[in-house]
Structures are given as C-alpha cells and as structure tokens.
Amino acid sequence: MRWSCFRCWFGVGSSATLIEGQEAADASGDPDTDFGGLGVRLEGIQKFLFPALGVDRFGKIGIPNPHVMAPVVGAVEIVCGAMVILGLWTRLATIPLLAVIGTAIVTTKIPMLYQQGVWAMLHEARVDFSMALGLVFLLIAGGGAFALTSSHGGGAIRARSR
C-alpha cells in the first residue's frame, strides 16, 4: 500500500497512486481526506489538476459541456469551500455547494442504486451524504461565533464595519 499525504493534498504526482489497486476516483472519495470545506476545496483543485477527475469524469456521466462545467464546478468548490473554512458568509456559501453535491448524488449515486443495489450505493455515497448533511447544518446554524462574519462578537469583518 503506497500512501503519500503530500501527493494527495498538494497535487504533486498522480492521485491514482494514493492507494494501490484503486482508481483515482475511488481514492478521492476517501473519508479521511474529505472533511468540511477543506475536502470540498481539495475536490475542486483536483478537477483542475487531473482531467480524469474533471472534464473526463463529467463527460462520462453525461454532464453537458464538460469542458465548461468542470472548471466552473471546480471554482465553486474552491471559492465556497474557502468561505466555509473561514466562516465568510457561510450560509450563502453552502447554497452552491449543496447544488454541487446534490448534482453529484443524482448523477452518480442514484444510477449506482439501480445498477449495483442499495448497499454498494450507500457505501460509495457515505461521504457525499455526510458532506450534504454538514452543509445543511451550516445553512441552518451559520458559521458560529468565530466566523469572520459572525454576529456574536467574534467576527472580524462585522466588527470593522461598526
């Protein structure tokens, strides 16, 4: 088993070598690397670095104009993921991320349900469902007291505007 966190997190080398015997698409859905805004940002960066995870994958699952949509989705994941990490208009940032994760579930996991059954789909969708539920929580609760745009006293941006 070959594992290199440096390769995975910073885009050095091929992501296909993260876990020997698995394709890059399987390794990118590893729950150890997908957590919150950072996981979303990493997925967005990979869409630019590795065509198999961006344009090629979008074309394979039938998304129209994959050469346009893959960079747009990647940019949304990077920018909105950074906003979630920083607590910068967190509720607003979750809306496009929910649209992206919802589209991912509908275009990849629902067909898997019909082709391979419920258990295979639930196994592959665990990270997608976890991220979707986390985004719903952030949509409802907001970024919290330490967010940059917090209204609870900790927000640096709100404090400067007073």
Side-chain angles (χ1 to χ4, degrees), residues 1-3 8 14-34 43 46 50 52-54 57 60 108-109 112 116 120-121 123-128:
M1 184 167 164
R2 294 184 327 211
W3 176 257
C8 171
S14 170
S15 67
T17 61
L18 293 177
I19 300 173
E20 196 169 326
Q22 290 186 354
E23 292 182 15
D26 293 335
S28 70
D30 188 352
D32 295 334
T33 61
D34 285 312
E43 289 297 317
Q46 288 179 12
F50 308 108
L53 298 177
R57 188 179 210 180
K60 191 186 312 181
T108 61
K109 303 315 185 260
M112 182 181 287
Q116 299 177 16
M121 186 275 295
H123 175 73
E124 288 296 319
R126 66 194 185 278
V127 173
D128 295 345

Side-chain angles (χ1 to χ4, degrees), residues 111-133:
M112 182 181 287
L113 172 66
Y114 293 116
Q115 294 168 358
Q116 299 177 16
V118 68
W119 294 112
M121 186 275 295
L122 288 173
H123 175 73
E124 288 296 319
R126 66 194 185 278
V127 173
D128 295 345
F129 290 147
S130 296
M131 291 179 81
L133 290 173

Side-chain angles (χ1 to χ4, degrees), residues 57-72:
R57 188 179 210 180
F58 278 42
K60 191 186 312 181
I61 61 176
I63 293 180
N65 299 319
H67 287 26
V68 174
M69 292 305 296
V72 168

Side-chain angles (χ1 to χ4, degrees), residues 35-161:
F35 46 93
L38 184 58
V40 173
R41 287 192 63 216
L42 292 174
E43 289 297 317
I45 292 167
Q46 288 179 12
K47 283 180 180 59
F48 289 102
L49 293 177
F50 308 108
L53 298 177
V55 175
D56 296 346
R57 188 179 210 180
F58 278 42
K60 191 186 312 181
I61 61 176
I63 293 180
N65 299 319
H67 287 26
V68 174
M69 292 305 296
V72 168
V73 170
V76 165
E77 290 175 341
I78 292 167
V79 171
C80 293
M83 291 172 68
V84 168
I85 290 170
L86 297 172
L88 190 62
W89 299 292
T90 304
R91 287 185 171 122
L92 182 64
T94 61
I95 295 169
L97 291 175
L98 280 168
V100 167
I101 199 76
T103 303
I105 290 170
V106 168
T107 59
T108 61
K109 303 315 185 260
I110 301 301
M112 182 181 287
L113 172 66
Y114 293 116
Q115 294 168 358
Q116 299 177 16
V118 68
W119 294 112
M121 186 275 295
L122 288 173
H123 175 73
E124 288 296 319
R126 66 194 185 278
V127 173
D128 295 345
F129 290 147
S130 296
M131 291 179 81
L133 290 173
L135 289 169
V136 168
F137 171 80
L138 290 173
L139 180 64
I140 295 167
F146 295 103
L148 287 179
T149 54
S150 173
S151 61
H152 308 79
I157 292 177
R158 187 167 183 95
R160 278 189 231 144
S161 65

